[in-house]
Short mmCIF file of all heavy atoms in Angstrom, two decimals:
data_model
loop_
_atom_site.label_atom_id
_atom_site.label_comp_id
_atom_site.label_asym_id
_atom_site.label_seq_id
_atom_site.Cartn_x
_atom_site.Cartn_y
_atom_site.Cartn_z
N MET O 1463 3.16 -6.93 28.71
CA MET O 1463 2.60 -7.34 27.46
C MET O 1463 1.99 -6.16 26.76
O MET O 1463 1.25 -5.37 27.35
CB MET O 1463 1.54 -8.45 27.72
CG MET O 1463 0.97 -9.05 26.50
SD MET O 1463 -0.18 -10.45 26.90
CE MET O 1463 -1.67 -9.52 27.09
N SER O 1464 2.22 -6.09 25.49
CA SER O 1464 1.62 -5.01 24.68
C SER O 1464 0.10 -5.20 24.62
O SER O 1464 -0.41 -6.31 24.55
CB SER O 1464 2.23 -5.07 23.28
OG SER O 1464 1.45 -4.19 22.41
N THR O 1465 -0.64 -4.11 24.67
CA THR O 1465 -2.06 -4.21 24.49
C THR O 1465 -2.55 -3.67 23.15
O THR O 1465 -3.67 -3.52 22.85
CB THR O 1465 -2.81 -3.39 25.59
OG1 THR O 1465 -2.31 -2.05 25.51
CG2 THR O 1465 -2.58 -3.95 26.94
N GLU O 1466 -1.52 -3.44 22.28
CA GLU O 1466 -1.85 -2.95 20.94
C GLU O 1466 -2.64 -3.99 20.13
O GLU O 1466 -2.35 -5.20 20.19
CB GLU O 1466 -0.58 -2.66 20.16
CG GLU O 1466 -0.83 -1.90 18.93
CD GLU O 1466 0.45 -1.25 18.41
OE1 GLU O 1466 1.52 -1.65 18.84
OE2 GLU O 1466 0.40 -0.42 17.55
N GLU O 1467 -3.73 -3.56 19.53
CA GLU O 1467 -4.62 -4.51 18.87
C GLU O 1467 -3.94 -5.10 17.60
O GLU O 1467 -3.32 -4.28 16.83
CB GLU O 1467 -5.96 -3.83 18.51
CG GLU O 1467 -7.02 -4.81 18.29
CD GLU O 1467 -8.42 -4.17 18.33
OE1 GLU O 1467 -8.79 -3.54 19.36
OE2 GLU O 1467 -9.11 -4.28 17.34
N LEU O 1468 -4.14 -6.36 17.44
CA LEU O 1468 -3.49 -7.05 16.32
C LEU O 1468 -4.54 -7.68 15.37
O LEU O 1468 -5.65 -8.08 15.83
CB LEU O 1468 -2.61 -8.16 16.85
CG LEU O 1468 -1.54 -7.70 17.84
CD1 LEU O 1468 -0.85 -8.91 18.42
CD2 LEU O 1468 -0.58 -6.78 17.18
N LEU O 1469 -4.19 -7.75 14.13
CA LEU O 1469 -5.06 -8.44 13.21
C LEU O 1469 -4.37 -9.77 12.79
O LEU O 1469 -3.22 -9.74 12.39
CB LEU O 1469 -5.22 -7.51 11.94
CG LEU O 1469 -6.04 -7.99 10.81
CD1 LEU O 1469 -7.50 -8.11 11.26
CD2 LEU O 1469 -5.90 -7.00 9.67
N VAL O 1470 -5.08 -10.84 12.94
CA VAL O 1470 -4.53 -12.19 12.63
C VAL O 1470 -5.20 -12.67 11.30
O VAL O 1470 -6.43 -12.71 11.21
CB VAL O 1470 -4.83 -13.19 13.79
CG1 VAL O 1470 -4.22 -14.55 13.47
CG2 VAL O 1470 -4.25 -12.65 15.10
N ARG O 1471 -4.32 -13.09 10.36
CA ARG O 1471 -4.89 -13.58 9.18
C ARG O 1471 -4.45 -15.04 8.98
O ARG O 1471 -3.20 -15.36 9.21
CB ARG O 1471 -4.33 -12.80 8.01
CG ARG O 1471 -4.90 -11.39 7.91
CD ARG O 1471 -4.69 -10.73 6.57
NE ARG O 1471 -5.23 -9.44 6.58
CZ ARG O 1471 -4.52 -8.38 6.29
NH1 ARG O 1471 -3.22 -8.44 5.99
NH2 ARG O 1471 -5.02 -7.12 6.30
N VAL O 1472 -5.35 -15.90 8.48
CA VAL O 1472 -4.99 -17.27 8.08
C VAL O 1472 -5.35 -17.46 6.62
O VAL O 1472 -6.48 -17.25 6.24
CB VAL O 1472 -5.71 -18.33 8.98
CG1 VAL O 1472 -5.37 -19.73 8.50
CG2 VAL O 1472 -5.40 -18.10 10.46
N ASP O 1473 -4.35 -17.80 5.85
CA ASP O 1473 -4.57 -18.10 4.41
C ASP O 1473 -5.13 -19.50 4.34
O ASP O 1473 -4.44 -20.49 4.52
CB ASP O 1473 -3.27 -17.93 3.67
CG ASP O 1473 -3.38 -18.18 2.17
OD1 ASP O 1473 -4.40 -18.82 1.79
OD2 ASP O 1473 -2.57 -17.73 1.36
N GLN O 1474 -6.46 -19.54 4.10
CA GLN O 1474 -7.13 -20.85 4.09
C GLN O 1474 -6.66 -21.74 2.94
O GLN O 1474 -6.78 -22.93 3.04
CB GLN O 1474 -8.65 -20.59 3.93
CG GLN O 1474 -9.24 -19.89 5.09
CD GLN O 1474 -9.47 -20.78 6.32
OE1 GLN O 1474 -10.06 -21.82 6.18
NE2 GLN O 1474 -8.96 -20.37 7.46
N THR O 1475 -6.05 -21.18 1.92
CA THR O 1475 -5.56 -21.99 0.83
C THR O 1475 -4.19 -22.61 1.18
O THR O 1475 -3.78 -23.59 0.54
CB THR O 1475 -5.43 -21.18 -0.48
OG1 THR O 1475 -4.41 -20.17 -0.33
CG2 THR O 1475 -6.77 -20.54 -0.83
N ARG O 1476 -3.51 -22.08 2.18
CA ARG O 1476 -2.18 -22.59 2.55
C ARG O 1476 -2.26 -23.47 3.77
O ARG O 1476 -1.45 -24.41 3.92
CB ARG O 1476 -1.22 -21.47 2.80
CG ARG O 1476 -0.92 -20.64 1.58
CD ARG O 1476 0.10 -19.60 1.89
NE ARG O 1476 1.39 -20.16 1.85
CZ ARG O 1476 2.53 -19.48 1.41
NH1 ARG O 1476 2.40 -18.23 1.09
NH2 ARG O 1476 3.68 -20.04 1.39
N CYS O 1477 -3.17 -23.16 4.70
CA CYS O 1477 -3.20 -23.93 6.01
C CYS O 1477 -3.42 -25.38 5.70
O CYS O 1477 -4.27 -25.78 4.92
CB CYS O 1477 -4.36 -23.34 6.83
SG CYS O 1477 -4.60 -24.28 8.35
N VAL O 1478 -2.58 -26.22 6.39
CA VAL O 1478 -2.74 -27.70 6.23
C VAL O 1478 -3.26 -28.31 7.53
O VAL O 1478 -3.21 -29.55 7.68
CB VAL O 1478 -1.41 -28.31 5.84
CG1 VAL O 1478 -1.05 -27.89 4.39
CG2 VAL O 1478 -0.28 -27.98 6.79
N GLY O 1479 -3.71 -27.44 8.45
CA GLY O 1479 -4.46 -28.02 9.56
C GLY O 1479 -3.68 -28.75 10.64
O GLY O 1479 -4.15 -29.61 11.31
N THR O 1480 -2.42 -28.36 10.84
CA THR O 1480 -1.61 -29.00 11.87
C THR O 1480 -2.13 -28.76 13.26
O THR O 1480 -1.92 -29.50 14.19
CB THR O 1480 -0.12 -28.52 11.82
OG1 THR O 1480 -0.10 -27.17 12.17
CG2 THR O 1480 0.48 -28.82 10.50
N GLY O 1481 -2.80 -27.62 13.45
CA GLY O 1481 -3.29 -27.22 14.76
C GLY O 1481 -2.26 -26.59 15.65
O GLY O 1481 -2.49 -26.29 16.78
N GLN O 1482 -1.02 -26.50 15.17
CA GLN O 1482 0.09 -25.96 15.96
C GLN O 1482 -0.18 -24.56 16.50
O GLN O 1482 0.10 -24.24 17.63
CB GLN O 1482 1.37 -26.00 15.13
CG GLN O 1482 2.60 -26.16 15.95
CD GLN O 1482 3.75 -26.70 15.06
OE1 GLN O 1482 3.50 -27.13 13.92
NE2 GLN O 1482 4.92 -26.60 15.59
N CYS O 1483 -0.71 -23.75 15.64
CA CYS O 1483 -0.96 -22.35 16.04
C CYS O 1483 -2.06 -22.28 17.10
O CYS O 1483 -1.98 -21.48 18.11
CB CYS O 1483 -1.41 -21.54 14.82
SG CYS O 1483 -2.92 -22.13 13.97
N ALA O 1484 -3.10 -23.14 16.99
CA ALA O 1484 -4.16 -23.13 17.96
C ALA O 1484 -3.70 -23.63 19.34
O ALA O 1484 -4.17 -23.21 20.34
CB ALA O 1484 -5.37 -23.99 17.48
N ARG O 1485 -2.72 -24.52 19.31
CA ARG O 1485 -2.19 -25.02 20.59
C ARG O 1485 -1.30 -23.94 21.24
O ARG O 1485 -1.22 -23.78 22.44
CB ARG O 1485 -1.38 -26.31 20.37
CG ARG O 1485 -2.26 -27.50 20.19
CD ARG O 1485 -1.42 -28.81 20.26
NE ARG O 1485 -0.51 -28.97 19.12
CZ ARG O 1485 -0.83 -29.40 17.99
NH1 ARG O 1485 -2.09 -29.79 17.72
NH2 ARG O 1485 0.06 -29.51 17.01
N THR O 1486 -0.66 -23.15 20.36
CA THR O 1486 0.25 -22.12 20.89
C THR O 1486 -0.47 -20.91 21.39
O THR O 1486 -0.16 -20.35 22.42
CB THR O 1486 1.24 -21.69 19.77
OG1 THR O 1486 1.92 -22.85 19.29
CG2 THR O 1486 2.22 -20.61 20.19
N ALA O 1487 -1.55 -20.52 20.70
CA ALA O 1487 -2.30 -19.29 21.06
C ALA O 1487 -3.82 -19.66 21.04
O ALA O 1487 -4.56 -19.10 20.16
CB ALA O 1487 -1.97 -18.15 20.09
N PRO O 1488 -4.27 -20.47 21.97
CA PRO O 1488 -5.60 -20.98 21.93
C PRO O 1488 -6.69 -19.93 22.17
O PRO O 1488 -7.84 -20.14 21.74
CB PRO O 1488 -5.64 -22.03 23.04
CG PRO O 1488 -4.53 -21.71 23.99
CD PRO O 1488 -3.47 -21.02 23.06
N ASP O 1489 -6.33 -18.79 22.76
CA ASP O 1489 -7.34 -17.70 22.92
C ASP O 1489 -7.67 -17.06 21.57
O ASP O 1489 -8.71 -16.44 21.37
CB ASP O 1489 -6.87 -16.65 23.92
CG ASP O 1489 -6.90 -17.19 25.34
OD1 ASP O 1489 -7.53 -18.23 25.58
OD2 ASP O 1489 -6.30 -16.55 26.20
N ASP O 1490 -6.72 -17.10 20.69
CA ASP O 1490 -6.81 -16.28 19.45
C ASP O 1490 -6.98 -17.11 18.19
O ASP O 1490 -7.29 -16.57 17.13
CB ASP O 1490 -5.57 -15.39 19.33
CG ASP O 1490 -5.50 -14.36 20.44
OD1 ASP O 1490 -6.58 -13.86 20.82
OD2 ASP O 1490 -4.43 -14.08 20.94
N LEU O 1491 -6.69 -18.39 18.23
CA LEU O 1491 -6.77 -19.26 17.07
C LEU O 1491 -7.40 -20.58 17.40
O LEU O 1491 -7.20 -21.09 18.51
CB LEU O 1491 -5.35 -19.50 16.49
CG LEU O 1491 -4.69 -18.29 15.84
CD1 LEU O 1491 -3.22 -18.40 15.94
CD2 LEU O 1491 -5.14 -18.17 14.44
N ALA O 1492 -8.14 -21.06 16.45
CA ALA O 1492 -8.85 -22.43 16.62
C ALA O 1492 -8.88 -23.08 15.26
O ALA O 1492 -8.75 -22.43 14.24
CB ALA O 1492 -10.21 -22.23 17.21
N LEU O 1493 -9.10 -24.36 15.32
CA LEU O 1493 -9.30 -25.09 14.06
C LEU O 1493 -10.84 -25.13 13.77
O LEU O 1493 -11.62 -25.42 14.67
CB LEU O 1493 -8.81 -26.55 14.16
CG LEU O 1493 -7.30 -26.76 14.10
CD1 LEU O 1493 -7.01 -28.27 14.05
CD2 LEU O 1493 -6.74 -26.10 12.84
N GLY O 1494 -11.23 -24.82 12.62
CA GLY O 1494 -12.64 -24.80 12.23
C GLY O 1494 -13.12 -26.20 11.74
O GLY O 1494 -12.32 -27.14 11.62
N PRO O 1495 -14.34 -26.31 11.45
CA PRO O 1495 -14.97 -27.57 10.93
C PRO O 1495 -14.32 -28.03 9.66
O PRO O 1495 -14.37 -29.28 9.35
CB PRO O 1495 -16.45 -27.17 10.73
CG PRO O 1495 -16.67 -25.85 11.19
CD PRO O 1495 -15.34 -25.21 11.50
N ASN O 1496 -13.74 -27.11 8.90
CA ASN O 1496 -13.05 -27.58 7.70
C ASN O 1496 -11.61 -28.05 7.94
O ASN O 1496 -10.88 -28.30 7.02
CB ASN O 1496 -13.06 -26.43 6.62
CG ASN O 1496 -12.19 -25.23 7.11
OD1 ASN O 1496 -11.68 -25.20 8.22
ND2 ASN O 1496 -12.14 -24.25 6.27
N GLY O 1497 -11.20 -28.06 9.24
CA GLY O 1497 -9.91 -28.59 9.63
C GLY O 1497 -8.78 -27.53 9.38
O GLY O 1497 -7.62 -27.87 9.58
N ARG O 1498 -9.15 -26.33 9.17
CA ARG O 1498 -8.19 -25.28 8.98
C ARG O 1498 -8.31 -24.26 10.08
O ARG O 1498 -9.42 -24.09 10.65
CB ARG O 1498 -8.30 -24.63 7.59
CG ARG O 1498 -8.12 -25.64 6.49
CD ARG O 1498 -7.86 -24.99 5.13
NE ARG O 1498 -7.44 -26.01 4.19
CZ ARG O 1498 -8.24 -26.51 3.23
NH1 ARG O 1498 -9.44 -26.02 3.11
NH2 ARG O 1498 -7.82 -27.44 2.38
N ALA O 1499 -7.26 -23.57 10.35
CA ALA O 1499 -7.28 -22.55 11.44
C ALA O 1499 -7.96 -21.32 11.02
O ALA O 1499 -8.09 -20.99 9.84
CB ALA O 1499 -5.83 -22.26 11.83
N TYR O 1500 -8.58 -20.68 12.07
CA TYR O 1500 -9.18 -19.33 11.81
C TYR O 1500 -8.92 -18.48 13.01
O TYR O 1500 -8.75 -19.03 14.15
CB TYR O 1500 -10.68 -19.46 11.52
CG TYR O 1500 -11.47 -19.89 12.72
CD1 TYR O 1500 -12.11 -18.95 13.52
CD2 TYR O 1500 -11.61 -21.24 13.03
CE1 TYR O 1500 -12.87 -19.37 14.63
CE2 TYR O 1500 -12.34 -21.66 14.14
CZ TYR O 1500 -13.02 -20.68 14.88
OH TYR O 1500 -13.67 -21.10 16.05
N PRO O 1501 -8.84 -17.15 12.83
CA PRO O 1501 -8.73 -16.25 13.97
C PRO O 1501 -10.04 -16.17 14.71
O PRO O 1501 -11.04 -15.87 14.20
CB PRO O 1501 -8.32 -14.91 13.33
CG PRO O 1501 -8.51 -15.08 11.87
CD PRO O 1501 -8.94 -16.43 11.56
N ARG O 1502 -9.98 -16.44 16.02
CA ARG O 1502 -11.22 -16.51 16.81
C ARG O 1502 -11.48 -15.19 17.58
O ARG O 1502 -12.52 -15.08 18.19
CB ARG O 1502 -11.31 -17.72 17.73
CG ARG O 1502 -10.20 -17.71 18.76
CD ARG O 1502 -10.14 -19.01 19.54
NE ARG O 1502 -11.42 -19.30 20.10
CZ ARG O 1502 -11.63 -20.18 21.07
NH1 ARG O 1502 -10.58 -20.88 21.57
NH2 ARG O 1502 -12.75 -20.36 21.60
N ASN O 1503 -10.47 -14.34 17.54
CA ASN O 1503 -10.57 -13.14 18.38
C ASN O 1503 -10.24 -11.94 17.56
O ASN O 1503 -9.15 -11.67 17.14
CB ASN O 1503 -9.59 -13.23 19.57
CG ASN O 1503 -9.66 -12.07 20.47
OD1 ASN O 1503 -10.46 -11.14 20.23
ND2 ASN O 1503 -8.78 -12.04 21.46
N PRO O 1504 -11.28 -11.08 17.25
CA PRO O 1504 -11.02 -9.94 16.41
C PRO O 1504 -10.24 -8.81 17.13
O PRO O 1504 -9.81 -7.85 16.47
CB PRO O 1504 -12.42 -9.46 16.02
CG PRO O 1504 -13.36 -10.03 17.03
CD PRO O 1504 -12.73 -11.27 17.58
N HIS O 1505 -10.04 -8.97 18.42
CA HIS O 1505 -9.33 -7.97 19.15
C HIS O 1505 -8.11 -8.57 19.86
O HIS O 1505 -7.82 -8.34 21.00
CB HIS O 1505 -10.25 -7.32 20.20
CG HIS O 1505 -11.50 -6.76 19.62
ND1 HIS O 1505 -11.49 -5.65 18.81
CD2 HIS O 1505 -12.76 -7.16 19.70
CE1 HIS O 1505 -12.70 -5.40 18.41
NE2 HIS O 1505 -13.53 -6.30 18.91
N ALA O 1506 -7.37 -9.39 19.13
CA ALA O 1506 -6.25 -10.06 19.69
C ALA O 1506 -5.12 -9.04 20.11
O ALA O 1506 -4.96 -8.00 19.41
CB ALA O 1506 -5.65 -11.02 18.69
N THR O 1507 -4.47 -9.34 21.20
CA THR O 1507 -3.39 -8.46 21.64
C THR O 1507 -2.12 -9.19 22.09
O THR O 1507 -1.14 -8.55 22.40
CB THR O 1507 -3.84 -7.58 22.86
OG1 THR O 1507 -4.24 -8.46 23.89
CG2 THR O 1507 -4.96 -6.62 22.44
N ASP O 1508 -2.21 -10.53 22.13
CA ASP O 1508 -1.01 -11.25 22.69
C ASP O 1508 0.08 -11.44 21.67
O ASP O 1508 0.23 -12.45 21.03
CB ASP O 1508 -1.51 -12.61 23.23
CG ASP O 1508 -0.42 -13.15 24.22
OD1 ASP O 1508 0.79 -12.88 24.01
OD2 ASP O 1508 -0.81 -13.89 25.17
N ARG O 1509 0.81 -10.40 21.52
CA ARG O 1509 1.84 -10.32 20.48
C ARG O 1509 2.89 -11.44 20.60
O ARG O 1509 3.22 -12.01 19.56
CB ARG O 1509 2.51 -8.93 20.55
CG ARG O 1509 3.51 -8.68 19.42
CD ARG O 1509 3.93 -7.19 19.51
NE ARG O 1509 4.88 -6.90 18.47
CZ ARG O 1509 4.98 -5.74 17.90
NH1 ARG O 1509 4.29 -4.75 18.24
NH2 ARG O 1509 5.92 -5.60 16.99
N ASP O 1510 3.30 -11.74 21.82
CA ASP O 1510 4.36 -12.79 21.96
C ASP O 1510 3.87 -14.11 21.50
O ASP O 1510 4.56 -14.82 20.73
CB ASP O 1510 4.80 -12.85 23.45
CG ASP O 1510 5.59 -11.63 23.88
OD1 ASP O 1510 5.98 -10.85 22.98
OD2 ASP O 1510 5.73 -11.45 25.10
N LEU O 1511 2.65 -14.50 21.95
CA LEU O 1511 2.17 -15.88 21.62
C LEU O 1511 1.81 -15.92 20.11
O LEU O 1511 2.06 -16.92 19.44
CB LEU O 1511 0.90 -16.20 22.40
CG LEU O 1511 1.15 -16.79 23.79
CD1 LEU O 1511 -0.20 -17.26 24.41
CD2 LEU O 1511 2.11 -18.01 23.72
N LEU O 1512 1.24 -14.86 19.58
CA LEU O 1512 0.85 -14.89 18.20
C LEU O 1512 2.09 -14.86 17.26
O LEU O 1512 2.10 -15.48 16.22
CB LEU O 1512 -0.09 -13.69 17.86
CG LEU O 1512 -1.51 -13.91 18.40
CD1 LEU O 1512 -2.31 -12.64 18.38
CD2 LEU O 1512 -2.20 -15.03 17.62
N THR O 1513 3.09 -14.11 17.71
CA THR O 1513 4.41 -14.12 16.90
C THR O 1513 4.99 -15.50 16.91
O THR O 1513 5.39 -16.05 15.85
CB THR O 1513 5.39 -13.13 17.57
OG1 THR O 1513 4.84 -11.80 17.36
CG2 THR O 1513 6.67 -13.24 16.79
N GLU O 1514 4.98 -16.17 18.07
CA GLU O 1514 5.47 -17.55 18.13
C GLU O 1514 4.68 -18.42 17.21
O GLU O 1514 5.17 -19.29 16.48
CB GLU O 1514 5.40 -18.04 19.58
CG GLU O 1514 6.03 -19.36 19.80
CD GLU O 1514 5.88 -19.83 21.26
OE1 GLU O 1514 5.63 -19.03 22.15
OE2 GLU O 1514 6.05 -21.05 21.50
N ALA O 1515 3.29 -18.32 17.29
CA ALA O 1515 2.43 -19.17 16.45
C ALA O 1515 2.72 -18.98 14.98
O ALA O 1515 2.82 -19.90 14.19
CB ALA O 1515 0.99 -18.88 16.77
N ALA O 1516 2.92 -17.72 14.55
CA ALA O 1516 3.20 -17.45 13.14
C ALA O 1516 4.53 -17.98 12.71
O ALA O 1516 4.75 -18.49 11.63
CB ALA O 1516 3.10 -15.91 12.94
N GLU O 1517 5.47 -17.91 13.62
CA GLU O 1517 6.84 -18.41 13.28
C GLU O 1517 6.82 -19.91 13.21
O GLU O 1517 7.59 -20.55 12.43
CB GLU O 1517 7.89 -17.95 14.34
CG GLU O 1517 8.04 -16.46 14.48
CD GLU O 1517 8.74 -15.80 13.34
OE1 GLU O 1517 9.25 -16.48 12.46
OE2 GLU O 1517 8.81 -14.51 13.34
N LEU O 1518 5.95 -20.55 14.00
CA LEU O 1518 5.94 -22.02 14.01
C LEU O 1518 5.14 -22.64 12.81
O LEU O 1518 5.39 -23.78 12.51
CB LEU O 1518 5.25 -22.50 15.29
CG LEU O 1518 6.08 -22.45 16.53
CD1 LEU O 1518 5.22 -22.81 17.80
CD2 LEU O 1518 7.24 -23.40 16.45
N CYS O 1519 4.27 -21.87 12.26
CA CYS O 1519 3.43 -22.47 11.17
C CYS O 1519 4.34 -22.99 10.04
O CYS O 1519 5.17 -22.22 9.53
CB CYS O 1519 2.52 -21.35 10.58
SG CYS O 1519 1.53 -22.02 9.18
N PRO O 1520 4.20 -24.25 9.70
CA PRO O 1520 5.14 -24.87 8.71
C PRO O 1520 4.93 -24.38 7.29
O PRO O 1520 5.87 -24.60 6.47
CB PRO O 1520 4.85 -26.37 8.88
CG PRO O 1520 3.44 -26.42 9.38
CD PRO O 1520 3.25 -25.21 10.20
N VAL O 1521 3.78 -23.78 7.01
CA VAL O 1521 3.52 -23.37 5.60
C VAL O 1521 3.30 -21.85 5.46
O VAL O 1521 2.81 -21.37 4.49
CB VAL O 1521 2.31 -24.15 5.06
CG1 VAL O 1521 2.61 -25.61 4.93
CG2 VAL O 1521 1.09 -23.92 5.93
N GLU O 1522 3.67 -21.12 6.54
CA GLU O 1522 3.51 -19.64 6.56
C GLU O 1522 2.10 -19.20 6.13
O GLU O 1522 1.94 -18.30 5.33
CB GLU O 1522 4.55 -18.95 5.65
CG GLU O 1522 5.92 -19.23 6.29
CD GLU O 1522 6.98 -18.35 5.51
OE1 GLU O 1522 6.71 -17.50 4.75
OE2 GLU O 1522 8.22 -18.55 5.90
N ALA O 1523 1.11 -19.92 6.66
CA ALA O 1523 -0.29 -19.59 6.37
C ALA O 1523 -0.82 -18.48 7.35
O ALA O 1523 -1.83 -17.86 7.01
CB ALA O 1523 -1.19 -20.77 6.51
N LEU O 1524 -0.15 -18.31 8.45
CA LEU O 1524 -0.57 -17.42 9.49
C LEU O 1524 0.28 -16.16 9.49
O LEU O 1524 1.54 -16.19 9.48
CB LEU O 1524 -0.45 -18.17 10.76
CG LEU O 1524 -0.68 -17.44 12.10
CD1 LEU O 1524 -2.12 -16.89 12.15
CD2 LEU O 1524 -0.42 -18.40 13.24
N SER O 1525 -0.36 -15.00 9.54
CA SER O 1525 0.39 -13.77 9.65
C SER O 1525 -0.32 -12.88 10.67
O SER O 1525 -1.48 -12.93 10.89
CB SER O 1525 0.52 -13.07 8.28
OG SER O 1525 -0.75 -12.71 7.74
N VAL O 1526 0.52 -12.04 11.32
CA VAL O 1526 0.03 -11.10 12.36
C VAL O 1526 0.41 -9.71 11.98
O VAL O 1526 1.55 -9.44 11.56
CB VAL O 1526 0.71 -11.46 13.69
CG1 VAL O 1526 0.14 -10.66 14.84
CG2 VAL O 1526 0.51 -12.98 14.04
N HIS O 1527 -0.60 -8.81 12.08
CA HIS O 1527 -0.43 -7.47 11.62
C HIS O 1527 -0.85 -6.50 12.74
O HIS O 1527 -1.69 -6.81 13.57
CB HIS O 1527 -1.30 -7.20 10.39
CG HIS O 1527 -1.04 -8.19 9.31
ND1 HIS O 1527 -0.38 -7.89 8.17
CD2 HIS O 1527 -1.47 -9.48 9.20
CE1 HIS O 1527 -0.35 -8.97 7.41
NE2 HIS O 1527 -1.00 -9.98 8.00
N LEU O 1528 -0.25 -5.30 12.71
CA LEU O 1528 -0.81 -4.26 13.57
C LEU O 1528 -2.16 -3.82 13.01
O LEU O 1528 -2.26 -3.52 11.81
CB LEU O 1528 0.11 -3.08 13.60
CG LEU O 1528 1.55 -3.33 14.22
CD1 LEU O 1528 2.37 -2.01 14.11
CD2 LEU O 1528 1.46 -3.86 15.62
N ALA O 1529 -3.18 -3.80 13.83
CA ALA O 1529 -4.52 -3.50 13.34
C ALA O 1529 -4.59 -2.06 12.86
O ALA O 1529 -5.25 -1.74 11.89
CB ALA O 1529 -5.54 -3.71 14.45
N ALA O 1530 -3.80 -1.18 13.52
CA ALA O 1530 -3.89 0.24 13.19
C ALA O 1530 -3.35 0.61 11.81
O ALA O 1530 -3.87 1.46 11.15
CB ALA O 1530 -3.20 1.09 14.29
N THR O 1531 -2.25 -0.09 11.48
CA THR O 1531 -1.56 0.24 10.25
C THR O 1531 -1.54 -0.86 9.16
O THR O 1531 -1.24 -0.61 8.02
CB THR O 1531 -0.07 0.62 10.54
OG1 THR O 1531 0.56 -0.60 11.05
CG2 THR O 1531 0.01 1.76 11.53
N GLY O 1532 -1.80 -2.07 9.62
CA GLY O 1532 -1.70 -3.21 8.72
C GLY O 1532 -0.30 -3.79 8.58
O GLY O 1532 -0.09 -4.73 7.86
N GLU O 1533 0.62 -3.13 9.22
CA GLU O 1533 2.03 -3.57 9.09
C GLU O 1533 2.15 -5.02 9.67
O GLU O 1533 1.65 -5.34 10.69
CB GLU O 1533 2.95 -2.68 9.93
CG GLU O 1533 4.41 -3.11 9.94
CD GLU O 1533 5.27 -2.33 10.99
OE1 GLU O 1533 4.71 -1.40 11.59
OE2 GLU O 1533 6.35 -2.83 11.29
N GLN O 1534 2.83 -5.87 8.82
CA GLN O 1534 3.06 -7.29 9.27
C GLN O 1534 4.16 -7.35 10.29
O GLN O 1534 5.24 -6.85 10.03
CB GLN O 1534 3.40 -8.15 8.03
CG GLN O 1534 3.58 -9.60 8.44
CD GLN O 1534 3.65 -10.56 7.20
OE1 GLN O 1534 2.94 -10.29 6.26
NE2 GLN O 1534 4.53 -11.45 7.27
N ILE O 1535 3.87 -7.98 11.43
CA ILE O 1535 4.90 -8.08 12.44
C ILE O 1535 5.38 -9.55 12.52
O ILE O 1535 6.40 -9.85 13.18
CB ILE O 1535 4.44 -7.59 13.82
CG1 ILE O 1535 3.19 -8.31 14.28
CG2 ILE O 1535 4.17 -6.05 13.74
CD1 ILE O 1535 2.78 -7.96 15.70
N ALA O 1536 4.69 -10.52 12.01
CA ALA O 1536 5.13 -11.93 12.04
C ALA O 1536 4.40 -12.68 10.96
O ALA O 1536 3.20 -12.38 10.71
CB ALA O 1536 4.81 -12.53 13.41
N PRO O 1537 4.99 -13.68 10.28
CA PRO O 1537 6.41 -13.94 10.53
C PRO O 1537 7.35 -12.92 9.93
O PRO O 1537 6.91 -12.15 9.09
CB PRO O 1537 6.60 -15.31 9.77
CG PRO O 1537 5.56 -15.24 8.72
CD PRO O 1537 4.39 -14.44 9.28
N ALA O 1538 8.58 -12.88 10.43
CA ALA O 1538 9.52 -11.91 9.93
C ALA O 1538 9.92 -12.30 8.54
O ALA O 1538 9.91 -13.48 8.17
CB ALA O 1538 10.78 -11.94 10.85
N ASP O 1539 10.18 -11.33 7.71
CA ASP O 1539 10.55 -11.58 6.31
C ASP O 1539 11.83 -12.33 6.25
O ASP O 1539 12.74 -12.16 7.04
CB ASP O 1539 10.62 -10.29 5.47
CG ASP O 1539 9.26 -9.77 5.20
OD1 ASP O 1539 8.26 -10.54 5.19
OD2 ASP O 1539 9.13 -8.51 5.03
S1 SF4 X 571 0.14 -23.73 12.21
FE1 SF4 X 571 -0.28 -23.08 10.07
S2 SF4 X 571 -0.86 -24.94 9.02
FE2 SF4 X 571 -1.01 -25.37 11.16
S3 SF4 X 571 -3.22 -25.00 11.64
FE3 SF4 X 571 -2.08 -23.10 12.10
S4 SF4 X 571 -2.20 -21.90 10.15
FE4 SF4 X 571 -2.75 -23.94 9.70
#
């Protein structure tokens, strides 16, 4: 597993609160009191699970970036 630090972003205006991402990557994502997902870990590294979570999001509210460069790694364009 890569240990490269990742930046997880959730667009609060797009998230519809399915909770799918939080079930897929519970260490790094959770649903907040407003019913929308938020990144709970500022030092996320689980690229495989976070990529899966971003690909599963039905409204593309979740994106995963390399913390060092900001490059988006998921979802794929
Ligand atoms: S999968 Fe997408 S829509 Fe569902 S809670 Fe996560 S960010 Fe929000």
Side-chain angles (χ1 to χ4, degrees):
M1463 185 175 87
S1464 168
T1465 56
E1466 192 164 14
E1467 200 164 301
L1468 304 173
L1469 181 64
V1470 180
R1471 291 197 182 120
V1472 178
D1473 183 338
Q1474 296 282 308
T1475 65
R1476 295 184 81 145
C1477 174
V1478 292
T1480 64
Q1482 207 158 349
C1483 59
R1485 285 191 292 278
T1486 303
D1489 287 346
D1490 294 322
L1491 289 153
L1493 284 186
N1496 64 358
R1498 298 196 172 104
Y1500 69 95
R1502 62 188 304 198
N1503 181 2
H1505 305 290
T1507 58
D1508 198 329
R1509 186 171 179 150
D1510 289 347
L1511 276 186
L1512 285 167
T1513 296
E1514 186 181 342
E1517 301 286 356
L1518 283 173
C1519 177
V1521 293
E1522 295 191 6
L1524 172 61
S1525 61
V1526 184
H1527 307 256
L1528 297 179
T1531 63
E1533 178 192 348
Q1534 181 170 320
I1535 57 172
D1539 286 335

